[in-house]
Amino acid sequence: MIGITIGGARLLMPDMKAVRSPLVGQTSIDGCIAEAPEKRPTFARYLVRSSGEDILVTDRTYWPEFRFGDCVHVIGKVEEPTSGKDMDYRRYLASQGIHAEIGRAHV
């Protein structure tokens, strides 16, 4: 009975794959960092809010360092997130309200 309920609830969930950011295709954006950055040894990842859209930005130059609230100019191609064969990364990001990313950015 639980399986039927879960299956039925899944039909009511919105199709997050259908949402497309109007920023997709642009080669630069201006926005502000909306969350604390994710810092790793080889890159920094920022959630940048631009024109009301959240874009996941990966910067491999790692310098200068930016913080939550900093307004930045980002150069790089805005693309729809892609999914791997093991995980639907696009759907995961969509559940977080993120429908675009710049994988190789210069901030």
Side-chain angles (χ1 to χ4, degrees), residues 20-24 47 53-57 78-81 93 97-102:
R20 180 181 166 98
S21 170
L23 300 175
V24 169
L47 184 66
E53 296 281 324
D54 287 342
I55 299 108
L56 189 62
V57 174
V78 180
E79 300 176 313
E80 290 185 21
L93 289 178
I98 302 167
H99 303 286
E101 68 178 341
I102 300 176

Side-chain angles (χ1 to χ4, degrees), residues 4-75:
I4 293 171
T5 304
I6 293 172
R10 187 174 182 173
L11 293 175
L12 299 175
M13 291 176 54
D15 182 9
M16 294 181 189
K17 291 183 179 183
V19 177
R20 180 181 166 98
S21 170
L23 300 175
V24 169
Q26 293 188 21
T27 56
S28 68
I29 59 168
D30 292 304
C32 296
I33 298 173
E35 289 184 355
E38 174 188 348
K39 296 180 181 181
R40 300 285 178 101
T42 58
F43 66 88
R45 189 169 285 147
Y46 304 100
L47 184 66
V48 177
R49 187 160 294 140
S50 177
S51 302
E53 296 281 324
D54 287 342
I55 299 108
L56 189 62
V57 174
T58 303
D59 182 11
R60 298 184 190 284
T61 61
Y62 209 82
W63 189 259
E65 290 188 40
F66 296 100
R67 296 185 295 242
F68 168 76
D70 288 347
C71 292
V72 294
H73 178 73
V74 181
I75 298 171

